[in-house]
């Protein structure tokens, strides 16, 4: 089974930067679209950015121009470079991945456990 482990969260000041990483472990699968989502207290989980296997990207309007999603297919890892952070970016950040196992055709979606990002004013 695929496991996603996020890292890189923490505390930043307004205007600062953080870089999140999410690595998928396991074998016998291919990862297609990967993404980052976030959930602030009492809010719904919202899309931040997605990236396809061929590195086509999509961003929420609130982060476009400030955040950059990228991936390393050889390492099964997705990154989120966050810049010009504001307190409104404070949330728990989750990565996810759409996976197809070598033995089948069905797509499974996995989620990481999340990492907290806090931006102070």
């Amino acid at each position: 089974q695929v496991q996603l482990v996020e890292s890189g969260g923490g505390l930043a000041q307004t205007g600062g930067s953080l870089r999140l990483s999410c690595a998928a472990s396991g074998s016998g699968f291919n990862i297609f679209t990967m993404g980052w989502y976030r959930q602030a207290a009492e809010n719904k989980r919202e899309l931040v950015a997605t990236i396809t296997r061929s590195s086509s990207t999509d961003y929420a309007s609130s982060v476009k121009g400030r955040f950059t999603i990228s991936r390393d297919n050889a390492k099964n890892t997705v990154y989120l470079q966050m810049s010009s952070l504001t307190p409104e970016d404070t949330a728990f950040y989750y990565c996810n991945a759409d996976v197809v196992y070598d033995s089948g055709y069905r797509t499974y979606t996995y989620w990481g456990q999340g990492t907290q990002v806090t931006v102070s004013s």
Side-chain angles (χ1 to χ4, degrees), residues 23-74:
S25 62
S27 62
F29 58 85
N30 290 291
I31 300 177
F32 291 88
T33 300
M34 303 184 81
W36 287 96
Y37 292 73
R38 66 186 182 186
Q39 186 170 14
E42 300 183 1
N43 290 349
K44 292 182 179 180
R45 189 173 298 187
E46 62 177 8
L47 171 71
V48 175
T50 60
I51 184 168
T52 67
R53 188 170 180 83
S54 58
S55 294
S56 294
T57 58
D58 190 28
Y59 295 91
S61 57
S62 59
V63 306
K64 196 172 292 185
R66 299 188 299 121
F67 291 9
T68 301
I69 189 171
S70 60
R71 65 189 286 171
D72 184 333
N73 290 332

Side-chain angles (χ1 to χ4, degrees), residues 4-5 11 14 18-19 24 37 39 42 45 54 63 74 81-83 88-89 97 99-100 108 113:
L4 301 178
V5 179
L11 179 65
T14 296
L18 285 173
R19 188 191 193 212
Y37 292 73
Q39 186 170 14
E42 300 183 1
R45 189 173 298 187
S54 58
V63 306
Q81 178 67 48
M82 305 184 292
S83 303
E88 287 68 38
D89 296 315
V99 170
V100 177
Y108 295 85
Q113 81 287 354

